Amino acid sequence: MKKIKYIAASAAFLLLGTSCGNDWLNLEPSTYMPTDEIINELSDIDLVLNGIYSTMQSAYAYSGRFIYYADATGDDMQTIKSTNRTGSYYLMKYTKDDAPSTFWSYPYNMLNMCNLIIGQTDGIETLETETRDSYKGQAYAIRGMITFELTRFYGYPYKKDNGASLGVPIANKVFGKDEKPSRNTVAECYDAVISDLETAISLMNNDEGRKFNKGHINRWAAMALLSRVYLYHGDDQKAFQMATEAINGAEAQGYHLWSTEEYPTAWSVDAGSASAAGEVLFEVVNTTDDSPGKESLGYLHNPSGYYDICVTTSFYDLLTQDPDDVRIKLLKSKNNYGYFVYKFQPQDGETIYDANIPVLRLSEVYLNAAEAAVKLNDNANAVKYLDAIVNRANPANTVQGTTVTLERVMTERRKELVAEGHRMYDALRDGGYVERYDIEDSPLPNRHLPLDADAVRFNWDYYKCVLAIPKAEMDVNPNLIQNPEYAK
């Protein structure tokens, strides 16, 4: 047990080193994990899994950058000041020499811990086979999720060239000190992601894998994520099937879409069961004793906190076209700054910077099903799944009796998923545009900061819609190829 604790502590120490900005001190690539330790029992796996979930709590992972990056680079949210934490991503002024390193180092450290579990779990002799399979399924699901994140950070959207461009090195084993992996293609990365998630879903097809487990990925969360991945990959029939299976399975387990009345405050409910979780299929759990503190999303979004990032005038205009939309209640104003999204709410007895971070919600899965149905020319199901979200937002509204368009679904995604880390990816993955513009007669006082012309309106041809491979990684791994344009 002490050996496994040392592994988790070593990984955390390495992550601290990469987060401090002293990348020139790192003599090995972030893909390297200094361990040859053995997992002997189920409690060892549980400890390493909890180490991964703990890493997700970091402000450099899902309690911060992994989420706000796609919002800051999109057109529904904007930073308040160029010096804010979200400022460099919003302005998109990073270069190959100063591109952030944590988008690379944190994922690969988590991937190595996943691989430690996957590589050694089968050797454990136990009668608790469902628990063992659930643990292994979680490791596969996390590995798929993290590889997907990396591919979106550093690889162009799959549909741009059917995945022919470079993605990231696929980590399907614990990398040793001397290994210098090269980048796989985006297509190969998606194949790996899909394979991992399909394996996870199969392994968690038991009572342990299906049940609610606060702060952990279960079968329904893995299915929800796979439905999203299939959409990005252009597998619309599979996306529809996976989304509907996830919805039916999760709701049979007790999950449910929040009602109109529940919606404004449900974000702060302490989920102790699937029914209490409502529509949150997977969340990163923060507590008063274990949270990123003032670096968390709760504090960054709060008008009483750092008020780092607010909605744009164009998004405010979009959402308030229907003044009775319940989602307007999640906008909190701050004089002279605009409106902030209040989704990261503290639970009873906690502060704003202890707010949990919803990563996968049932609402998104309904929207995934609606989008896939539109692309399959299945209007009946497009209406069915989109109407659940539209009617919940305002019970006076419906899409019944209409022909649902892709634009209508994507507009609803913007309204429903704002501040949850989707916008730039959603705008670009089918060849669309991010368009940053102001509504001149908006009641909001804030306006877009000065942007380079290329960052005002862009699609997947803009080279900064992907990040540069961090300089520290390029320096220690000669097999890595920098992304185009950044390399010049």
Side-chain angles (χ1 to χ4, degrees), residues 194-250:
I194 291 169
S195 176
D196 278 353
L197 291 174
E198 289 176 342
T199 300
I201 291 165
S202 176
L203 283 166
M204 292 191 285
N205 191 18
N206 54 47
D207 289 342
E208 280 294 317
R210 288 188 291 265
K211 75 177 185 181
F212 172 83
N213 190 356
K214 186 178 177 68
H216 289 64
I217 291 176
N218 62 13
R219 189 169 194 257
W220 317 120
M223 294 174 78
L225 179 59
L226 183 53
S227 73
R228 183 200 301 178
V229 172
Y230 279 145
L231 282 177
Y232 277 69
H233 196 243
D235 300 323
D236 299 323
Q237 184 62 57
K238 291 182 178 179
F240 179 77
Q241 180 179 348
M242 189 56 57
T244 53
E245 287 182 15
I247 291 167
N248 294 335

Side-chain angles (χ1 to χ4, degrees), residues 85-103:
R85 287 152 185 79
T86 56
S88 63
Y89 310 115
Y90 166 75
L91 295 171
M92 305 180 81
K93 289 184 180 295
Y94 31 75
T95 70
K96 65 179 180 180
D97 295 321
D98 63 9
S101 63
T102 52
F103 287 97

